[in-house]
Amino acid sequence: MIAISIDELLRPYEFEFFRNGLIVATVAGALCGLIGCYVVLRSMSYIGHGLSHSIFGGFAAASLLGVNVFLGAGVWGLATALMIGGITRRRPVGSDAAIGVVTTASFALGLALVQIFGTTERNAEAALFGNVLGVSIGDVWLILVVTAITVLTIVVSYRRLLFVTFNPEVAEISGVRVTLTDAVLMLLLAAAILVTMNVMGVTLIAAALVVPAVIARLLTSRFSTMLIIATVIGALTGAIGMNLSYHLDIASGPTIVLTGAALFILAFAFSGVAGRARLRGMEHAH
Amino acid sequence: MHAQGPILSARGVTCSYDGTPVLEEVDLDISRGDFIGVVGPSGSGKSTLLRAVSGALEPVHGTVERGPGVSFGFVPQLEKVDWDFPVTVTECVLMARTRPLRKFWSTRQERRMERNKLLDVLDRLGIADLADRHIRALSGGQQQRMFLARALMTDADVLLLDEPTSGLDVKTRHEVLHLLDELRQSGMAVLITTHDLNGIAAHLPHVVCLNGRVIGEGRPTEVLTPANLEATFGSPMQVLQHAGMPVIVDAPTDSIDIAS
């Protein structure tokens, strides 16, 4: 057993980059956990995965053109999100293939641009795998604003979002504007991926979206409780993962995902037969 | 007790998916207190008709006129619902009561009124003690009642039900029909789709035979005729009379030897 002193544990908190990174990782975890509930319950895991890869294309193009990375990747991400939403609506069957082509091509374009024009190597790596060193105070504010907007939107449209997630056809007949609600959800998802990119890396964001929601589903059958648990689990995963990242000297993305996986195993072990039954119910949703 | 005249009037409604017409030239009037059953085989446009009258689907031709403020409650087929979705009965019943976007918060009084209304509706449908259960813990009849409660919570004027009795046993089917009749008497209009001719359609006051277009419409005794049924289902049927009600049986032209 390796003995680690309290001093040693608190050491990273002396550094501003770590404090910023910790705030962003914690808030990003909470944000992804919250949005992830909708992603998982609407069987959009693949869309989340694809969208995060696609945004990397925008990131590379923006850094190449010297445009603000968030702005470039943001516009790219929102456009892709709306396009994916459109494809899914028009082609409910087989839309995953179309989404696969669009998002993978965008990701490949990003990789090609980075290789040909050699954008700042560290930025590209941070975007791919997550790197706490890339986090500035501006990033902290950005993620706080996006999280505030997301929470506000979910509070105000709570029932509308739930209705559209549970019974889209019924919601439409009952007078809910399903297309608009879907678009809002896709935009929130794109924004969450964008501000999380630096900490998690685009290749691992899907895990931050899916794992807390799945853990929450193991523990409850009530929607409102699921949102709260997933948000808390996401925040915990981010915070614990960041600390581990520093001490183990491994990139923040992998440590956060591995922390989430460890929490999932714990929850799976302790939630018993009831939890497993709840989880089995999710299988067909993917 | 019911307002005169239709609250919904569909004229020459034609709907298509990807250029293929599913409904053609359908006329339909719905008034308060109506209880209308739409019968037809799979793919005859029954579900499309429900979507068209509610406004969820725009017809390519024709018009659907709805009275001012007429709202719709929809009860989906139980088989089409994701019963593993994490919602409790209360969450499910309340989700259709969406707030207008401009109204951020509800007041304490509004919340109390909503809570009272919820308890009233659940009590009226006999599922008050199940309010905190997960939706999967309910029986088929209780699940049906939960969706009815959801429609009642929005004060829907027209209740649309897609195959409300499929998958239910005979006793539960009767309970659901009686419940729908009570709602109809309280002034709602009820429009259901069904392929159950004897169990449902023959008991309703008004039946529409649909197969892309309206084959016949009126009282079951007038509409459920061998000619209309063959035109609707594409298969010959005989209509017998039992206690003043039509009883429909298959009339295969060739005998089918299952054993061979």
Side-chain angles (χ1 to χ4, degrees), chain A residues 15-91:
Chain A
F15 307 113
E16 194 190 346
F17 82 88
F18 183 83
R19 291 197 301 269
N20 287 344
L22 183 70
I23 295 171
V24 172
T26 309
V27 178
L31 176 63
C32 287
L34 182 60
I35 287 283
C37 291
Y38 295 95
V39 170
V40 165
L41 292 173
R42 299 179 53 132
S43 314
M44 278 167 49
S45 307
Y46 182 67
I47 293 179
H49 187 74
L51 189 56
S52 59
H53 279 69
S54 158
I55 283 177
F56 182 72
F59 165 85
S63 47
L64 183 71
L65 295 170
V67 184
N68 180 295
V69 172
F70 279 118
L71 193 69
V75 170
W76 193 297
L78 297 187
T80 320
L82 293 177
M83 193 159 68
I84 289 176
I87 293 174
T88 320
R89 225 178 1 268
R90 273 197 305 278
R91 303 181 37 144

Side-chain angles (χ1 to χ4, degrees), chain A residues 41 152 155-160 162-163 165-167 170 172-174 176 217 221-224 226 281 284, chain B residues 51 54 56 74 76 81-82 84-87 91-92 94-99 101 105 114 134-135 150:
Chain A
L41 292 173
L152 195 67
V155 168
V156 170
S157 330
Y158 175 77
R159 287 180 181 172
R160 197 174 276 107
L162 171 59
F163 203 179
T165 303
F166 178 47
N167 280 156
V170 184
E172 192 175 32
I173 293 178
S174 308
V176 176
R217 184 67 188 96
S221 281
R222 185 187 294 268
F223 186 73
S224 51
M226 181 174 168
H284 69 93
Chain B
R51 299 186 67 214
S54 71
F74 183 72
V81 173
D82 174 10
D84 292 312
F85 194 95
V87 276
E91 285 181 318
C92 183
L94 286 178
M95 70 171 70
R97 271 176 74 94
T98 52
R99 273 197 303 258
L101 278 177
W105 309 107
E114 182 177 85
H134 181 250
I135 52 173
R150 184 165 75 179

Side-chain angles (χ1 to χ4, degrees), chain B residues 49-95:
Chain B
L49 179 61
L50 296 191
R51 299 186 67 214
V53 296
S54 71
L57 182 70
E58 275 299 312
V60 287
H61 296 297
T63 55
V64 181
E65 277 181 36
R66 301 172 195 88
V70 167
S71 63
F72 296 86
F74 183 72
V75 177
Q77 275 185 51
L78 295 184
E79 284 97 339
K80 287 189 180 173
V81 173
D82 174 10
W83 292 106
D84 292 312
F85 194 95
V87 276
T88 62
V89 172
T90 298
E91 285 181 318
C92 183
V93 171
L94 286 178
M95 70 171 70

